[in-house]
Amino acid sequence: MQWFRNFHIEKKIASLVAILIIFMMAIGGTAYYAGQVMADKAKELYNDRLLPVQWLNDGRNQFRAGEAEVLQVILAPNDSAKEKKLLEEINSRAIAVDKLLADYEKTKLDPYEIERLPKLKEELRLYRIERIKALELVTEKKKQEAYMVFAEKG
């Protein structure tokens, strides 16, 4: 340490400033790296956890609205134009549910989700078959039978 005491004041200040700059660069680099890691984790959280929850909730809402429209077709006295409009909405909601499930399937799924997704798809397929049967009965003017089929299996 004696060699440092022998330096002139300007050399001491310059060396302390140089050391300060080195430490500040190290701290800044560490903070930048930690910020990048945090940003990557936040993107992963958003893309693989938050968006799928929104998609599943939206899919559930679309599904329930489609189910309500099926019941409206079956139970309410509708003219053919309104019935046609409801059937178009039911089909568009089914397409929306399929798109949301496809988006969900593209995310990083955990083992529980991997196990449950095929079951969900199979149940959805079976539901749609029964819904089609019920809607066919409606077009044949057999609304009571349509309701029984839909209420029992749909």
Side-chain angles (χ1 to χ4, degrees), residues 4-5 13 20 28-30 33 37 44 49 51 67 82 84 91 97 101 104 113 117 120 130 134 136 147:
F4 190 71
R5 289 186 184 173
I13 291 174
L20 177 68
T30 303
Y33 174 75
V37 169
E44 180 182 339
R49 294 291 150 220
L51 285 178
E67 189 175 32
K82 185 171 183 176
K84 182 179 176 185
N91 288 333
V97 168
L101 272 177
Y104 176 73
E113 293 166 324
L117 191 59
L120 173 65
E130 296 304 321
E136 286 173 353
Y147 179 73

Side-chain angles (χ1 to χ4, degrees), residues 13-33:
I13 291 174
S15 62
L16 288 175
V17 168
I19 291 171
L20 177 68
I21 289 173
I22 291 170
F23 281 122
M24 290 301 286
M25 288 176 65
I27 291 169
T30 303
Y32 179 77
Y33 174 75

